[in-house]
Amino acid sequence: MILAIDVGNSNIVIGCIDGEEINFVFRMSTSIAKTADEYASGIKSILDFHGVEREKITGVVISSVVPPLTGVLRTAAKMLSGVSAVVVGSGIKTGMNILIDDPAQLGADMVATAVGAISAYKPPVIIVDMGTATKITVLDKNGSFIGGAIMPGVALSMNALSVGTSQLPKVPIEAPPKYICANTIDCMKSGAIYGAAAMIDGMTARFEEELGEPASLVATGGLSGAVYGHCKREIAFDPNLILRGLVIIYEKNTRK
């Protein structure tokens, strides 16, 4: 069984994968103040809750966009499993060509998500990853990572709106009953959900224009479930895309 860990700015996503089956997935709040002992204790409690014996964990793979926590989670995973983690980064085999100006700038999460996408969808592929930031990336017809766009995530934008104004409150990220709303809270919900959906429709259409051909569209990330269904375009929803990509990367770097 492989323990896959994705360390994001807001949440840490952890999954246990046995072969091709994802046994379960859970999230923890990201905190750079926590120690390896605290993370190990927290993860152990959840493994125990799901009835997973630590002895069954034969490998660990980690992607992280929070550098101060990369080593902390690596130590925590070693404490739990007794094995050294494969950490996505420079020198790791991915089986994917990265054709951007500086491949070293590419986040480990985007690498893992792209590896997962190219294994499951016909290229070219456009990936919409909605987390703290919304990242839209493109794999060309050869499966090469060629770039994309990054914008503020839905929750980040809504927090900025309430913090940066005197009268706009914090509202839940959920769709109102219609596009044109008659009160402030529903207007904000409309802008958050339908605005994000319209942005995805418009950006993916522009990406396809630049590619010169239609692409497979897939949505992933913690907030995509609230948005993708409101897009006018047909988009596959794949919340565990990054975990599958992490397992593929693990296998490529441990296979003898």
Side-chain angles (χ1 to χ4, degrees), residues 223-240:
L223 293 174
S224 59
V227 176
Y228 87 100
H230 301 287
C231 293
K232 298 294 186 182
R233 313 197 67 193
E234 183 177 344
I235 302 180
F237 177 49
D238 196 336
N240 296 323

Side-chain angles (χ1 to χ4, degrees), residues 100-114:
I100 62 174
D101 294 343
D102 183 1
Q105 291 183 344
L106 187 59
D109 58 335
M110 297 173 75
V111 172
T113 300

Side-chain angles (χ1 to χ4, degrees), residues 140-217:
D140 68 12
K141 62 183 179 181
N142 299 315
S144 299
F145 192 109
I146 62 171
I150 301 174
M151 55 281 294
V154 177
L156 191 64
S157 296
M158 294 304 288
N159 287 338
L161 194 59
S162 62
V163 169
T165 60
S166 298
Q167 294 185 318
L168 295 181
K170 287 188 176 182
V171 300
I173 299 174
E174 59 187 22
K178 56 183 182 178
Y179 300 136
I180 303 172
C181 300
N183 63 76
T184 298
I185 289 177
D186 280 353
C187 283
M188 292 176 70
K189 291 179 180 179
S190 179
I193 300 299
Y194 301 135
M199 179 272 293
I200 292 169
D201 287 332
M203 288 295 286
T204 54
R206 284 167 169 78
F207 281 14
E208 286 183 331
E209 286 179 13
E210 212 163 275
L211 285 169
E213 59 183 320
S216 302
L217 306 181

